[in-house]
Amino acid sequence: MSTEENIKEKAKIADENTGVKVCHTMCEICTRGCGIDAYVKDGKIIKVEGTKGNPTGFGYLCQKGQGTRSYIYREDRIKTPLKRVGKRGEGKFVPITWDEAYKEIAEKLNLYKQESGPDSVVFFSGYTKWYRPIYQRLIYSFGSKNYCTDDSLCYFSTFMANKLNSGITTRPDQRFSGVFLAWAFNRYYSGSIVETKRLEQYKAENGLKIVVVDPRITPASEKLADIHLRPLPGTDGALACCFANLFIEWDRIDHGYISKHVYGFEEYAEYVKEFTVEKTSEITTIPQEDIIAAAHMLTENGPMSIAEGASPLVHHTNGMQTYRAIMTLAAITGNYDRKGGQIPTNYADVSRSGDGVLEDAFALDVFPYSRGKKVGQIKYPLFCEIVEQGQDMDLARHILEKDPYPIRAIFAMGMNYRMLPADEKLLEAIKSLDFFADVDIFLTDTAKYADIVLPACSGFERGTFRNYKNGKVFFSKPAIEPLYESKSDADILCELASALGIDDPYLKAGYKACIDYMLGPTGLTVDKLQESDEQVVLPTFINYEAGTNTATGYNTETAKYEIKSKVIESRYQKYGLEPLPKYVPPLDPADPKDYPLILCSGGRLVNTMHSRLHNSKWHRIQRPQPSADIHPDDAMQRSISNGDDIVLYNPQGELHLKAHVTNTCKKGVVFLVHGYKEADVNSIIPEVYDPYSGYPGLRSARCNVRPEQGKE
Ligand SMILES: Nc1nc2c(c(=O)[nH]1)N[C@H]1C(S)=C(S)[C@@H](COP(=O)(O)OP(=O)(O)OC[C@H]3O[C@@H](n4cnc5c(=O)[nH]c(N)nc54)[C@H](O)[C@@H]3O)O[C@H]1N2
Ligand SMILES: Nc1nc2c(c(=O)[nH]1)N[C@H]1C(S)=C(S)[C@@H](COP(=O)(O)OP(=O)(O)OC[C@H]3O[C@@H](n4cnc5c(=O)[nH]c(N)nc54)[C@H](O)[C@@H]3O)O[C@H]1N2
Ligand code: SF4
Ligand SMILES: [Mo]
């Protein structure tokens, strides 16, 4: 071999001599779906890079994507379908064939349907989203209404807030903004670094002003903030009310827009009067002068846009109304549906309709509308109505108490029981089921409780349809064959539908036929998409402009932006829900004297992703051991030094961790990354939920910290 060939071989460069081939595919460790180039030799991925020019990844991969090989080649991949032979949780299984597995699952689910009704089977999905329209069609054709997913605690509380306010979703138009309100915003860790860095450019070139509201010091607060407000977690609603009060008092509101397009303004203006700067400063701990300075900055530099946060603001027991109050700031200042403010979007996401693709119709065409209540509907009726799903927060109780009806089985796709608070109770509920099946890539702790486990392949081993938010679609090509006997989730669902005897022409015909149905109105087909190695622009994409909805009226009962929600006013007040976005403190029954600190769990780190990467060696480098961020003063008060073993405790239980003493942490708050099994933070989150959305207080639970006994 020549020196040049040798170098090429070592550098894993693709050409005929090295035998290395490149496949342009899509990273699916998170739902962004960045373009990724997989370098393949002898059926194995030997290197990955970002696809140059890709409109989602921009040629870059985040640290999670860079570690792809460590993720997909994890040793605990499930190799074949498995049947449990040991006790639930013991992890003793025997391999079975796919046909045996389908037969057993289908016989069991059909039996429960016959004996106890189709709702006695709950269909669950964790974070993974791409297969969901197929999954929903299967579930609804089977006849169950019990489709339960991570939407019970991710993003959809925000979606509800938008639905109630205006009936539309929006995005911040930062490029044309004068000021950007980056509320609970640190996309350097949770989103696209390239897109987030654009804000640095708008700051430098357009003079964009930025107010960051985040209890922590983060790259966003350091690089972007002109003003950084640091509230106690979960007190943001009070701050939003205070801003509204100041804007109204100073007459920095848009009277024309309000009189034409806003419903409930007068009543809200009266309500927010109580949120004086003094009172709000006490609630949030933000210095009074900072609140006033931020209010000036937000009103003297319009147009103002506001970040669309997926979770931190709604991971509280008061989050849905907080989010409504924050968006209301855009409405009363005339920045809603305005260039440089909030721009309407045609809501499209991995598993929801948008831009002419019929994901929702494909699923909901067969929805069993006529029948009973979903899981959680009695406690969280508003969530179940607007989001059209069961609310997971009531799942364990429902199973254990068989109230209002028995649930006999869960069929799950990528279920991690530690995703939810009070997860031990969920595990107990799972143990009590007649039957539990789980489809996952890895033999997780949850899968170990299943009667049948099915091996899914990773995104690199299948073709996947993706509808991006930017009006582009992609059908990825598999880089390698499915490892072992694993299969694509979509194929598993279509084959299971047949085994269940579901007579649906699309599920019978398979994944591509399902996607062709969804693509129908766009004129595209899977075959056409597969001809391309890149994302394809949807001919049906509508790029909304500001003022689109103000002309015709919003999608609400009054056709206005409803600060006072008509839906709540007319139908949900009897459940104790409040039509105005009023502030209530985050709820937690624990006594602040014993538990003076606030546990805020889940702020993202660059290379963690819920539970899925903690078992991947490469990804654990940044935080090899679970550790809690503590402010130096709080640490010193408790004789804790950086790196010490500590106990984080509250009435729900305790966690054993390392102390990560850092002044990026706000005093009085403890920050913790979630998803570790060795430090399962959701086991100590109290069972108190937002009555509007059912969302848990993952980011505002009372706690305390002490040094580990007997350790220096
Ligand atoms: N690397 C990585 N990226 C991810 C994920 C991941 O696990 N890892 N998960 C993805 C998913 S599923 C989601 S939902 C999104 C979530 O992503 P984001 O919505 O961006 O949420 P976070 O990164 O959790 O939080 C953003 C900031 O909010 C702050 N914050 C926390 N609580 C509060 C509060 O009460 N008030 C205020 N004002 N700020 C608060 C945190 O300190 C943090 O700096 O991230 C996605 N991206
Ligand atoms: N304390 C606390 N808890 C939280 C949060 C928080 O901020 N704090 N965030 C919440 C939020 S926003 C979210 S979205 C949830 C997410 O929580 P989870 O649903 O737990 O997310 P993951 O751990 O990413 O994925 C769950 C399972 O899916 C499997 N999986 C991965 N890819 C595939 C696939 O292609 N097919 C199949 N069948 N399985 C696959 C993984 O191996 C894993 O076992 O966590 C929530 N829980
Ligand atoms: S893990 Fe990183 S590279 Fe992969 S899709 Fe998500 S953001 Fe993109
Ligand atoms: Mo999420």
Side-chain angles (χ1 to χ4, degrees):
M1 195 184 281
S2 71
T3 324
E4 192 188 336
E5 278 168 359
N6 207 345
I7 291 169
K8 278 188 173 170
E9 176 103 22
K10 281 216 165 107
K12 301 174 180 173
I13 285 169
D15 73 12
E16 276 169 18
N17 295 325
T18 57
V20 178
K21 289 206 169 112
V22 188
C23 176
H24 300 298
T25 185
M26 181 169 63
C27 175
E28 290 190 69
I29 290 180
C30 86
T31 49
R32 279 190 61 75
C34 299
I36 191 166
D37 287 351
Y39 287 70
V40 181
K41 186 171 180 180
D42 302 330
K44 199 162 172 174
I45 298 174
I46 55 165
K47 179 171 90 173
V48 289
E49 277 176 352
T51 306
K52 295 257 168 341
N54 179 272
T56 308
F58 311 98
Y60 292 89
L61 294 177
C62 76
Q63 290 181 30
K64 304 187 290 301
Q66 288 167 20
T68 288
R69 294 193 310 129
S70 167
Y71 175 64
I72 65 167
Y73 293 121
R74 258 169 65 173
E75 280 161 15
D76 57 345
R77 284 280 304 245
I78 308 165
K79 298 187 173 61
T80 66
L82 299 170
K83 186 181 163 84
R84 181 170 63 83
V85 287
K87 281 197 211 122
R88 281 201 169 137
E90 214 179 353
K92 281 195 188 151
F93 294 95
V94 289
I96 52 171
T97 64
W98 276 101
D99 282 345
E100 285 166 342
Y102 288 139
K103 188 162 175 278
E104 173 138 5
I105 297 171
E107 273 175 11
K108 290 268 162 58
L109 301 193
N110 278 335
L111 175 72
Y112 306 138
K113 176 176 166 175
Q114 204 184 9
E115 288 179 352
S116 313
D119 292 333
S120 68
V121 181
V122 165
F123 292 85
F124 192 96
S125 174
Y127 170 75
T128 310
K129 309 212 168 27
W130 70 278
Y131 49 69
R132 291 196 188 177
I134 319 280
Y135 195 26
Q136 281 170 278
R137 191 157 175 114
L138 178 153
I139 299 164
Y140 303 146
S141 304
F142 176 80
S144 177
K145 282 185 130 166
N146 283 328
Y147 169 54
C148 292
T149 73
D150 69 325
D151 298 344
S152 285
L153 81 176
C154 175
Y155 172 70
F156 274 83
S157 178
T158 318
F159 178 77
M160 285 174 74
N162 288 323
K163 278 277 168 194
L164 293 171
N165 285 346
S166 64
I168 62 165
T169 51
T170 61
R171 65 173 173 82
D173 192 21
Q174 298 123 328
R175 192 174 153 208
F176 299 105
S177 305
V179 59
F180 173 49
L181 180 48
W183 208 311
F185 178 95
N186 179 28
R187 300 270 165 87
Y188 287 97
Y189 289 172
S190 65
S192 154
I193 292 185
V194 178
E195 282 174 10
T196 311
K197 277 184 102 51
R198 279 194 201 135
L199 292 169
E200 295 172 27
Q201 188 192 335
Y202 301 153
K203 233 174 121 69
E205 291 171 12
N206 307 353
L208 176 69
K209 298 269 185 286
I210 302 183
V211 175
V212 170
V213 188
D214 193 318
R216 286 198 297 179
I217 296 171
T218 66
S221 72
E222 294 283 83
K223 288 178 205 278
L224 301 176
D226 292 289
I227 296 179
H228 179 195
L229 304 180
R230 302 182 70 187
L232 281 177
T235 62
D236 303 78
L239 182 61
C241 290
C242 180
F243 279 149
N245 188 21
L246 290 175
F247 296 176
I248 297 165
E249 206 178 293
W250 297 346
D251 200 13
R252 302 272 171 81
I253 52 174
D254 186 332
H255 293 279
Y257 179 90
I258 291 172
S259 64
K260 254 203 197 138
H261 301 296
V262 176
Y263 173 74
F265 172 75
E266 299 300 332
E267 220 178 303
Y268 189 59
E270 209 38 54
Y271 167 71
V272 294
K273 277 187 184 153
E274 69 179 82
F275 290 89
T276 59
V277 174
E278 298 74 30
K279 177 175 160 178
T280 307
S281 171
E282 257 170 50
I283 297 174
T284 60
T285 75
I286 303 169
Q288 292 185 30
E289 58 276 18
D290 291 358
I291 298 177
I292 295 171
H296 277 291
M297 184 167 281
L298 294 171
T299 50
E300 287 162 16
N301 295 281
M304 170 183 73
S305 58
I306 306 178
E308 282 263 312
S311 61
L313 287 170
V314 292
H315 280 170
H316 296 287
T317 54
N318 59 6
M320 209 281 303
Q321 292 287 47
T322 294
Y323 197 77
R324 288 189 68 217
I326 290 172
M327 270 304 147
T328 294
L329 298 174
I332 62 173
T333 51
N335 284 300
Y336 203 79
D337 202 359
R338 172 180 177 188
K339 187 167 178 167
Q342 299 306 114
I343 297 277
T345 55
N346 192 352
Y347 180 67
D349 203 355
V350 206
S351 58
R352 307 282 294 210
S353 281
D355 303 325
V357 185
L358 301 178
E359 285 101 332
D360 283 349
F362 182 74
L364 294 173
D365 269 0
V366 288
F367 192 80
Y369 283 102
S370 55
R371 286 208 348 273
K373 292 217 182 316
K374 307 176 190 101
V375 164
Q377 192 155 6
I378 289 173
K379 288 195 170 179
Y380 310 108
L382 189 61
F383 173 88
C384 290
E385 176 189 322
I386 297 182
V387 182
E388 269 299 9
Q389 294 189 16
Q391 176 37 283
D392 304 353
M393 300 311 141
D394 201 30
L395 179 59
R397 187 210 59 80
H398 187 147
I399 295 173
L400 291 168
E401 293 177 15
K402 301 185 172 48
D403 172 37
Y405 51 83
I407 288 170
R408 301 186 60 186
I410 294 179
F411 179 88
M413 307 289 290
M415 182 172 186
N416 161 29
Y417 79 89
R418 296 191 185 95
M419 175 180 93
L420 314 168
D423 48 10
E424 294 296 330
K425 188 162 153 189
L426 180 59
L427 194 58
E428 201 190 318
I430 288 173
K431 282 195 235 164
S432 77
L433 290 168
D434 288 341
F435 185 69
F436 174 41
D438 191 24
V439 185
D440 205 304
I441 306 178
F442 312 104
L443 193 59
T444 62
D445 286 355
T446 310
K448 285 181 187 157
Y449 285 86
D451 300 293
I452 300 281
V453 180
L454 300 179
C457 64
S458 77
F460 290 86
E461 300 150 56
R462 54 171 148 83
T464 311
F465 172 70
R466 174 64 200 256
N467 184 4
Y468 289 94
K469 278 186 176 159
N470 59 5
K472 299 200 174 77
V473 287
F474 186 51
F475 200 100
S476 69
K477 295 188 174 58
I480 52 171
E481 291 290 313
L483 296 187
Y484 317 105
E485 285 182 34
S486 67
K487 289 190 189 213
S488 148
D489 294 287
D491 292 345
I492 295 173
L493 291 171
C494 290
E495 288 165 10
L496 179 64
S498 283
L500 283 164
I502 291 171
D503 189 20
D504 180 89
Y506 301 101
L507 296 176
K508 266 186 184 163
Y511 182 51
K512 286 187 183 173
C514 298
I515 301 299
D516 276 340
Y517 168 115
M518 295 178 223
L519 283 170
T522 69
L524 295 168
T525 59
V526 170
D527 285 342
K528 275 191 209 155
L529 291 182
Q530 281 187 311
E531 282 166 20
S532 173
D533 239 7
E534 286 164 11
Q535 296 181 11
V536 173
V537 179
L538 278 170
T540 39
F541 176 59
I542 304 165
N543 203 356
Y544 281 98
E545 306 236 341
T548 333
N549 287 285
T550 37
T552 51
Y554 293 114
N555 197 8
T556 55
E557 200 180 309
T558 58
K560 292 183 173 187
Y561 182 104
E562 295 185 355
I563 304 183
K564 185 171 185 183
S565 162
K566 274 276 182 193
V567 170
I568 298 182
E569 192 182 8
S570 56
R571 286 188 282 127
Y572 287 95
Q573 266 180 323
K574 62 178 183 229
Y575 296 96
L577 305 186
E578 174 58 57
L580 286 176
K582 291 188 177 172
Y583 172 73
V584 289
L587 308 165
D588 188 335
D591 187 343
K593 278 198 238 84
D594 299 326
Y595 306 99
L597 302 176
I598 294 181
L599 168 61
C600 183
S601 72
R604 284 24 177 169
L605 276 186
V606 180
N607 55 355
T608 63
M609 190 76 210
H610 311 303
S611 73
R612 67 176 57 182
L613 297 180
H614 288 307
N615 273 3
S616 160
K617 286 185 190 134
W618 198 94
H619 293 97
R620 273 192 87 124
I621 305 167
Q622 197 181 4
R623 284 273 168 122
Q625 283 170 309
S627 56
D629 289 5
I630 309 174
H631 188 271
D633 292 353
D634 293 325
M636 198 158 67
Q637 222 180 48
R638 293 164 176 78
S639 307
I640 291 169
S641 306
N642 193 33
D644 279 0
D645 291 317
I646 53 164
V647 184
L648 172 69
Y649 63 98
N650 67 10
Q652 284 71 240
E654 52 183 51
L655 302 180
H656 299 264
L657 303 146
K658 293 276 178 200
H660 183 237
V661 180
T662 164
N663 61 7
T664 61
C665 184
K666 186 177 166 66
K667 199 171 161 185
V669 184
V670 177
F671 286 95
L672 195 59
V673 175
H674 66 292
Y676 287 102
K677 65 165 113 177
E678 316 89 304
D680 171 13
V681 67
N682 284 339
S683 68
I684 63 164
I685 302 292
E687 286 185 85
V688 193
Y689 303 103
D690 183 336
Y692 297 82
S693 63
Y695 274 39
L698 302 171
R699 315 251 182 164
S700 47
R702 293 196 194 287
C703 72
N704 206 350
V705 170
R706 63 168 190 263
E708 184 85 58
Q709 287 284 319
K711 292 191 183 164
E712 293 298 301

